[in-house]
Amino acid sequence: MLFLSFSAFSQDAKVDTSQLNGLREYPKKNVLPVRRPVLQIQPVQIPDSKLNLKVNYWRNWVSFGVNMNQASFSNNWKGGGVNSIAIGTTFNYKTDYTKDDINYVSEVILQYGKIKNKGQLQRKSSDRIYWDNKLGLKLSPSWNFFGSLNFESQFDRGFSYKTVNGVEEATTISRFMSPGYLTESLGFEYKPNKFFWLRIGTGTARQTFVLDRDLYKAFPKNYGVDTGKVFRNELAFQLVGSYERDVMENLTLKTRYTMFANYEKLRSIDQRLDLTLIAKVNRLVNVTVTGVALYDDDADVRIQASQTLALGLVYRFPN
């Protein structure tokens, strides 16, 4: 009965599908118009007084370092050795002002260190005061006209040592401002890049000071100053060159060369070469190797040389 009724319904019923045809059509594209916005950019003038902008033409770098070394041996240590302790400090400050064609650079280097070996008098491992100032006027991309003022001396007394009847004696041969050097120079500077520069000082004057009037008794050369006087002036030609660059990651090379040729005795030219290699272990720990070669016949007829190796803490700002 149910089956027959369903079959009858499916055969007799007619469904009007004409009303569904419109639903099958897709809407036409771009029915609604789209208007593109018109952008208008207009400059707005803002007075400088309202911006409150300031340009800082100064750049500064500061670093401070300290290193220590200590060694001790028992009385029955068969390898040999001597108990010792050493400490060294360094302070570097550099400032640079550059605006338009004017450049001013000032650099301060302070170094002092001592070492004490058992059974010996204490000795200095480093002692230097160095202050360099340069004002330059740009002439071309690589050349400047410059004027410079440089001062150099030491903090503490320096000694020569000898042993008399088994007792070590120290004799003073230098101290602060004995000697001290003040150098003024005018000339041209060649600076092709930020790593290297060379100053050619065609007009250079240097004053040598020995304020200790009795120093000649222990050191007859008296650093070129006549006996009984405290001052000597020289006119000379000078070359000063510097190269500083990161030769590889965490490894920096610094070199500085100075040549001073007195116009009165060009056969005797004072020269100094400073070389520093800095290996950065981490943000605070550095390994530093320094070497100095110096020739000045007013101090010694032979080349003077020094070398140090230090592991210590160094803090830089900005870091």
Side-chain angles (χ1 to χ4, degrees):
M1 292 290 292
L2 293 174
F3 176 76
L4 293 175
S5 296
F6 178 76
S7 298
F9 176 79
S10 63
Q11 292 177 0
D12 297 337
K14 294 182 179 181
V15 180
D16 186 6
T17 61
S18 61
Q19 298 179 356
L20 301 177
N21 293 333
L23 298 177
R24 296 176 180 175
E25 295 180 359
Y26 294 98
K28 296 180 180 181
K29 296 182 178 180
N30 301 328
V31 176
L32 299 176
V34 179
R35 295 181 180 180
R36 296 182 178 180
V38 179
L39 299 179
Q40 294 183 353
I41 301 176
Q42 297 180 353
V44 178
Q45 300 294 333
I46 301 177
D48 294 341
S49 58
K50 293 185 178 181
L51 293 177
N52 196 25
L53 297 177
K54 294 182 179 180
V55 179
N56 187 4
Y57 298 99
W58 292 91
R59 294 183 299 164
N60 302 284
W61 300 267
V62 179
S63 67
F64 175 79
V66 59
N67 57 78
M68 290 189 62
N69 179 275
Q70 182 270 336
S72 62
F73 305 88
S74 63
N75 294 332
N76 61 340
W77 183 261
K78 300 303 188 292
V82 59
N83 296 348
S84 65
I85 185 171
I87 185 171
T89 58
T90 62
F91 175 82
N92 289 9
Y93 172 77
K94 185 176 181 180
T95 184
D96 184 296
Y97 174 87
T98 302
K99 182 180 180 182
D100 299 330
D101 293 334
I102 298 177
N103 173 246
Y104 170 73
V105 178
S106 180
E107 183 176 9
V108 177
I109 301 176
L110 306 177
Q111 299 173 334
Y112 188 75
K114 278 201 168 186
I115 182 171
K116 179 66 173 70
N117 295 326
K118 183 179 180 180
Q120 296 180 341
L121 297 175
Q122 62 182 5
R123 287 163 165 78
K124 292 191 298 184
S125 57
S126 61
D127 187 5
R128 191 186 189 198
I129 303 173
Y130 180 82
W131 184 23
D132 182 66
N133 299 271
K134 184 217 69 175
L135 179 64
L137 178 64
K138 184 176 288 295
L139 302 176
S140 71
S142 299
W143 287 92
N144 301 327
F145 177 77
F146 83 91
S148 67
L149 178 65
N150 177 284
F151 172 75
E152 185 171 5
S153 188
Q154 62 192 54
F155 289 99
D156 202 0
R157 290 190 297 172
F159 301 94
S160 64
Y161 300 90
K162 63 179 180 180
T163 302
V164 179
N165 298 325
V167 179
E168 190 176 36
E169 297 181 353
T171 303
T172 301
I173 58 173
S174 64
R175 61 176 62 195
F176 176 71
M177 290 302 292
S178 297
Y181 301 98
L182 185 66
T183 306
E184 308 87 23
S185 185
L186 292 173
F188 300 92
E189 180 186 45
Y190 176 62
K191 190 175 182 180
N193 51 56
K194 65 180 181 180
F195 310 115
F196 170 78
W197 54 260
L198 175 67
R199 298 180 195 169
I200 305 173
T202 54
T204 302
R206 182 175 72 179
Q207 295 78 47
T208 302
F209 300 89
V210 179
L211 301 186
D212 187 344
R213 293 179 179 270
D214 296 326
L215 195 66
Y216 73 94
K217 297 178 182 179
F219 186 67
K221 282 184 170 290
N222 209 39
Y223 299 99
V225 178
D226 293 337
T227 301
K229 296 184 178 181
V230 297
F231 172 84
R232 177 194 180 190
N233 187 61
E234 299 174 89
L235 298 178
F237 172 81
Q238 186 182 52
L239 288 178
V240 181
S242 175
Y243 181 83
E244 180 176 345
R245 189 171 187 176
D246 292 337
V247 294
M248 60 180 63
E249 186 178 1
N250 296 331
L251 186 63
T252 303
L253 174 66
K254 297 181 180 181
T255 63
R256 183 186 289 261
Y257 171 75
T258 303
M259 186 199 78
F260 184 88
N262 189 323
Y263 284 129
E264 295 182 355
K265 52 174 187 176
L266 292 177
R267 294 183 178 180
S268 178
I269 299 176
D270 298 343
Q271 301 180 73
R272 177 177 176 131
L273 176 63
D274 292 80
L275 186 147
T276 304
L277 193 63
I278 303 173
K280 187 175 181 180
V281 179
N282 56 39
R283 191 169 62 91
L284 291 177
V285 179
N286 283 359
V287 177
T288 304
V289 180
T290 60
V292 179
L294 169 64
Y295 176 78
D296 182 356
D297 64 345
D298 291 326
D300 200 300
V301 295
R302 298 173 299 174
I303 296 177
Q304 304 174 62
S306 70
Q307 179 272 326
T308 59
L309 171 64
L311 171 65
L313 301 177
V314 177
Y315 180 77
R316 289 182 173 86
F317 179 83
N319 207 342

